[in-house]
Amino acid sequence: MHHPTILAIESSCDDTSAAVLVNGEIRANVVATQQVHEQYGGVVPELASRAHQQHLIPVVNAALQKAGVARHDLDAIAFTQGPGLLGSLLVGGMFAKTLALALGKPLIAVNHMRAHILAHFIEAPRPVFPFLCLTVSGGHTQLVVVKSALEMEIIGQTIDDAAGEAFDKTAKLLGLPYPGGPHLDKLARQGNPTRFPFPVGAMPGYDFSFSGLKTAVLYFLKKETAQNPDFIQENLPDLCASIQHTIIQTLLRQLRRAAADNGLSQIALAGGVAANSGLRQALQEEAAAQRWQVFIPAFQYCTDNAGMVAKTAEFQYQAGDFATQLVSSDPRLKLV
């Protein structure tokens, strides 16, 4: 089987990344983060697009240099087609299309959510098909039966807020800086996860709902701070731990049912929220009880990165799945 040399570009949200894959291995995975959004408490799409324009060429040059690969040695150029912010996707997509045309190389359009799942194949240990993947990123929460690299079935997903949004929105209610998820996770390690009981979203089938949690936290904090203005500061670690515990239990409840009903014991965790320490620990404990074999990518391949795009592009290259210059960025691109 031919192992292509691929340059991959990821620009779906607020991280600009380029990676180079050689002989099936990620030789370079360079990421430029954007600090400009912190003052606004969330990603500003127009500012993200401008930052991608500034970062993309230096990031690509750094990745090629680190990998020791010249442009003419590339076999293909890959990029994230969607989902994501349209302006950000367009910056990466147009650059990839232009570079592929200039070099006379094939172009590969990659689905961002598929890339999160296939990040598990970058390094050992690797799952064996079929397996069940819980994908938890900023804007998506999905349960996916992964039958092969190119054949997947979504059996459950959020009907409102994603888990990542639940972390960030509740963290904002607590007054934590953006991005709130990591700050909430850090404080949760010092708190009591069962002190404040919040509702676990109980949806039919394998779907998720987190909007009720956000509302419950909002009204709870309003009630308590009306009686004690310092309530949040005095109870911050316990609040963080209780919120995180509720989100994790909501995820595990549906994951447990989906695994049992589909007869799958290989469980994968993907997406930016997979970097959450509480979720990782809870999943390992659940795996011991359920006799699951759990797979979680390294931290650098959980958050948005081009390494996962390069690995996905390798599967598509071997399947002959190439794009034309007419391919368009799609902010609502579906996994299946």
Side-chain angles (χ1 to χ4, degrees):
M1 183 178 294
H2 174 58
H3 289 286
T5 299
I6 297 175
L7 169 67
I9 294 164
E10 156 61 24
S11 66
S12 64
C13 191
D14 62 335
D15 287 327
T16 311
S17 181
V20 179
L21 180 141
V22 181
N23 292 327
E25 297 182 359
I26 302 298
R27 293 282 182 85
N29 185 39
V30 180
V31 181
T33 58
Q34 301 177 6
Q35 307 299 326
V36 66
H37 307 286
E38 293 180 3
Q39 60 186 304
Y40 300 102
V43 177
V44 181
E46 179 61 29
L47 295 180
S49 302
R50 293 177 184 177
H52 284 305
Q53 290 178 312
Q54 296 170 346
H55 294 161
L56 191 50
I57 291 178
V59 163
V60 168
N61 285 338
L64 289 170
Q65 183 176 9
K66 184 177 180 180
V69 172
R71 289 190 295 271
H72 62 265
D73 292 330
L74 297 170
D75 292 311
I77 312 296
F79 71 100
T80 299
Q81 182 185 7
L85 301 176
L86 179 57
S88 296
L89 292 168
L90 284 170
V91 173
M94 290 303 297
F95 180 90
K97 290 165 71 173
T98 303
L99 184 59
L101 187 63
L103 297 176
K105 303 295 183 180
L107 184 67
I108 302 175
V110 172
N111 183 295
H112 181 77
M113 303 310 296
R114 184 186 303 276
H116 270 307
I117 294 172
L118 297 181
H120 291 90
F121 292 90
I122 295 175
E123 298 175 343
R126 300 174 177 90
V128 176
F129 302 114
F131 62 91
L132 180 63
C133 184
L134 172 62
T135 307
V136 276
S137 68
H140 296 81
T141 301
Q142 298 177 335
L143 277 170
V144 183
V145 176
V146 187
K147 301 175 183 178
S148 73
L150 303 180
E151 185 182 2
M152 302 180 183
E153 178 187 0
I154 299 174
I155 60 172
Q157 57 190 331
T158 183
I159 64 167
D160 41 54
D161 289 346
E165 292 172 322
F167 274 112
D168 288 339
K169 289 180 179 180
T170 52
K172 192 171 184 178
L173 294 175
L174 296 173
L176 300 179
Y178 174 85
H183 294 285
L184 191 147
D185 180 27
K186 183 177 180 180
L187 286 165
R189 298 173 202 167
Q190 309 164 26
N192 178 359
T194 59
R195 183 177 172 198
F196 300 112
F198 294 112
V200 174
M203 296 299 297
Y206 311 124
D207 287 337
F208 302 92
S209 174
F210 293 100
S211 62
L213 170 63
K214 177 188 64 180
T215 304
V217 172
L218 173 63
Y219 284 109
F220 176 76
L221 294 178
K222 279 187 175 182
K223 176 185 175 183
E224 295 297 332
T225 53
Q227 300 173 1
N228 175 12
D230 297 323
F231 175 79
I232 293 177
Q233 287 305 315
E234 291 175 0
N235 299 278
L236 190 56
D238 287 347
L239 285 166
C240 290
S242 298
I243 291 170
Q244 178 161 288
H245 175 75
T246 303
I247 295 172
I248 291 171
Q249 291 307 307
T250 302
L251 293 170
L252 290 183
R253 176 183 182 273
Q254 301 299 68
L255 177 62
R256 191 183 306 118
R257 296 174 60 209
D261 292 349
N262 290 274
L264 296 170
S265 59
Q266 288 198 104
I267 309 298
L269 180 64
V273 184
N276 180 277
S277 64
L279 178 57
R280 283 176 170 245
Q281 180 180 348
L283 183 57
Q284 295 291 357
E285 292 172 357
E286 187 72 25
Q290 302 291 339
R291 297 184 179 178
W292 290 342
Q293 188 176 6
V294 168
F295 301 88
I296 307 175
F299 280 105
Q300 67 168 316
Y301 299 124
C302 288
T303 54
D304 291 348
N305 68 94
M308 67 184 191
V309 179
K311 175 54 70 171
T312 305
E314 181 184 37
F315 284 111
Q316 293 181 225
Y317 184 99
Q318 291 166 348
D321 182 11
F322 301 108
T324 71
Q325 286 289 325
L326 298 177
V327 66
S328 298
S329 297
D330 185 350
R332 298 185 181 276
L333 186 66
K334 302 297 184 184
L335 177 61
V336 291

